[in-house]
Amino acid sequence: MPRINEHYLNLQASYLFAEVKRRTQAFREAHPDARVISLGIGDVTRPLPPAVVHALEEAAREQGRAETLKGYGPYVGYDFLRAEIAAHDFGSRGVDVAVDEIFVSDGGKSDSANLQEIFATDCVVALMDPVYPVYADSNVIAGRSGRADASGRYAGFTYLPCTAENDFLPALPDRRVDLIYLCYPNNPTGAVMTREALQRWVDYARAHEATILYDAAYEAYIRDADVPHSIYEIAGAREVAIECRSFSKSAGFTGLRLAYTVVPREAHGRTARGEPVSLNTLWLRRTSTKSNGAPYIVQKAAAAVYTPDGLKQVRTLIDYYMENAAIIRDGLMAAGLTVYGGHNAPYLWVRTPAGLSSWEFFDKLLTDAHVVGMPGSGFGPSGEGYFRLTAFGSREQTEEAVARISARL
Ligand code: PLP
């Protein structure tokens, strides 16, 4: 028998989603007449924008004719899409990103999980707490974590607590770190980082020769003018930051699958002997070795997002979810709860009422209001005492969930 990668055994069981599912299922079985509303999982519910559907149909027809059939495409994505991304997502904000710095992929989850591969195993990783679990787990598998303690913390990681006390903006690390995962707008807290705060991180990374892996999957939800949409709006970021984006939550592509990562030409790592190596070249090498690119049809659909109709329709989609966010925020605050997020993000981060842990509040809402959310402690120890609700439900379900919670607190 071949030996396995034993780092996999250091992963903690996917407790959060499994346990939420188990408790919800048990409740449904005990109360078959209850209409349970889920505002827990962060998946979209609105249909794809018509411009996207039209592009999918056209591209499918192209694939149905020998003259227009597209086989294997470029590993890194078609230039027709990369050019739209460069112009609309960056150029329109005065940020220069070149087409060959954009790597199109089938998802932000895989990009954020895979980026660590181009760095050495002994790199020290800094993670926000609470955190999107993919950053942690991919580094556990790579052997950077060691074992978890009883609270679920890995000795090998540097945790950056994000709580109401620091406005969910972590303090700079107090020990040397090499890779820093930042996610803004944040999942799960719904917090955003101001330009000044992000500048401090870029300055820190430059001073300490660290690289920031910046996850901007929820960038489309930013409303406030002083919140940067891209880390490259910050002076000096091109040397020290890689940015991931996704079409999942902006244009509803969670099922279609499309995302991209920007690796600027100025970004470098080093060999053991100290020679600089381009991260763009490494990521290109890794991508071309392991992927044959995202589907042509889906890239055509993504390009349709940047047409005048597509832009308008995506804006309508996001406005819909953000109205849900306002309904949840205003409703729960009126009911006396303390609510964070929801202004520039589709997530609401709710303080559990005094004396209730995250899981106790989960049980209370499920039992009394038949509403499912996510216990904050499942995203990390600093999430204890919080609860996540998403704005991705239908309007009707969102309104009803808020009414039920408010009536039963
Ligand atoms: N990054 C964050 C912070 C997310 O919350 C998610 C999805 O929930 C993703 C990335 C994954 O996006 P994708 O659907 O492109 O894999």
Side-chain angles (χ1 to χ4, degrees):
M1 283 189 292
R3 248 190 93 187
I4 61 156
N5 173 358
E6 290 186 36
H7 301 312
Y8 273 86
L9 307 182
N10 289 333
L11 287 170
Q12 294 165 80
S14 173
Y15 176 72
L16 177 61
F17 289 92
E19 185 60 15
V20 164
K21 206 169 153 196
R22 190 189 69 73
R23 291 190 194 199
T24 308
Q25 191 56 32
F27 180 81
R28 280 187 208 273
E29 278 163 21
H31 305 85
D33 294 334
R35 280 189 310 112
V36 175
I37 297 176
S38 176
L39 299 181
I41 310 253
D43 198 359
V44 297
T45 53
R46 303 296 295 159
L48 289 166
V52 167
V53 175
H54 180 70
L56 280 171
E57 289 168 346
E58 272 200 344
R61 275 192 289 276
E62 279 184 66
Q63 294 293 69
R65 290 196 307 270
E67 314 82 68
T68 47
L69 171 74
K70 294 275 193 298
Y72 288 127
Y75 307 121
V76 294
Y78 283 95
D79 277 357
F80 66 76
L81 175 59
R82 297 162 91 204
E84 295 289 351
I85 291 169
H88 285 275
D89 290 355
F90 299 98
S92 68
R93 298 189 181 281
V95 175
D96 278 336
V97 166
V99 163
D100 64 3
E101 295 174 321
I102 296 167
F103 297 79
V104 173
S105 77
D106 71 350
K109 180 174 182 177
S110 33
D111 281 352
S112 61
N114 292 333
L115 277 166
Q116 48 76 29
E117 262 189 53
I118 60 171
F119 297 94
T121 313
D122 62 359
C123 280
V124 178
V125 171
L127 296 171
M128 303 167 79
D129 168 27
V131 71
Y132 178 53
V134 174
Y135 318 142
D137 288 355
S138 54
N139 279 288
V140 171
I141 292 169
R144 297 193 182 91
S145 65
R147 283 186 183 281
D149 66 16
S151 75
R153 283 172 182 269
Y154 291 96
F157 293 157
T158 295
Y159 289 94
L160 309 169
C162 301
T163 60
E165 288 64 42
N166 61 14
D167 287 332
F168 307 101
L169 300 178
L172 297 169
D174 53 9
R175 61 180 281 216
R176 191 194 149 68
V177 299
D178 301 293
L179 303 178
I180 302 163
Y181 286 83
L182 295 179
C183 171
Y184 286 101
N186 187 256
N187 174 14
T189 67
V192 285
M193 208 178 246
T194 60
R195 234 167 266 283
E196 295 69 37
L198 195 50
Q199 184 73 62
R200 277 196 291 282
W201 279 96
V202 169
D203 293 346
Y204 174 90
R206 292 173 68 89
H208 295 83
E209 301 193 337
T211 293
I212 297 172
L213 304 173
Y214 194 72
D215 189 341
Y218 299 97
E219 166 277 335
Y221 290 83
I222 294 172
R223 298 262 164 119
D224 294 350
D226 61 339
V227 176
H229 287 246
S230 165
I231 195 167
Y232 305 119
E233 292 176 41
I234 307 300
R238 286 181 58 86
E239 284 85 353
V240 292
I242 292 173
E243 179 166 312
C244 299
R245 296 260 190 117
S246 169
F247 290 82
S248 281
K249 304 299 164 66
S250 57
F253 275 46
T254 53
L256 278 186
R257 312 302 303 143
L258 207 74
Y260 65 88
T261 286
V262 176
V263 189
R265 276 190 231 105
E266 292 90 327
H268 286 84
R270 62 172 173 80
T271 64
R273 285 168 47 198
E275 299 129 336
V277 177
S278 157
L279 296 181
N280 179 290
T281 305
L282 277 188
W283 189 241
L284 174 61
R285 185 67 215 223
R286 192 253 170 221
T287 304
S288 51
T289 302
K290 293 201 170 183
S291 168
N292 268 327
Y296 170 73
I297 293 177
V298 181
Q299 293 190 59
K300 285 299 264 189
V305 164
Y306 299 106
T307 60
D309 280 351
L311 289 168
K312 222 181 300 158
Q313 292 160 9
V314 166
R315 182 42 49 201
T316 305
L317 202 57
I318 289 168
D319 286 348
Y320 179 95
Y321 291 133
M322 287 308 279
E323 235 169 275
N324 282 351
I327 288 167
I328 300 172
R329 195 182 57 239
D330 296 348
L332 297 191
M333 284 173 71
L337 289 170
T338 304
V339 184
Y340 303 95
H343 285 291
N344 295 287
Y347 293 113
L348 291 298
W349 194 236
V350 182
R351 262 267 204 228
T352 58
L356 290 186
S357 72
S358 295
W359 277 110
E360 285 166 346
F361 192 53
F362 173 91
D363 287 335
K364 178 178 168 57
L365 288 194
L366 177 59
T367 311
D368 296 353
H370 309 170
V371 172
V372 175
M374 282 288 165
S377 56
F379 297 95
S382 295
E384 181 54 89
Y386 294 92
F387 195 75
R388 192 192 79 173
L389 292 171
T390 87
F392 290 122
S394 71
R395 178 64 35 81
E396 300 68 34
Q397 287 197 321
T398 301
E399 284 172 342
E400 188 169 345
V402 170
R404 287 194 207 161
I405 296 172
S406 303
R408 289 166 181 83
L409 272 178

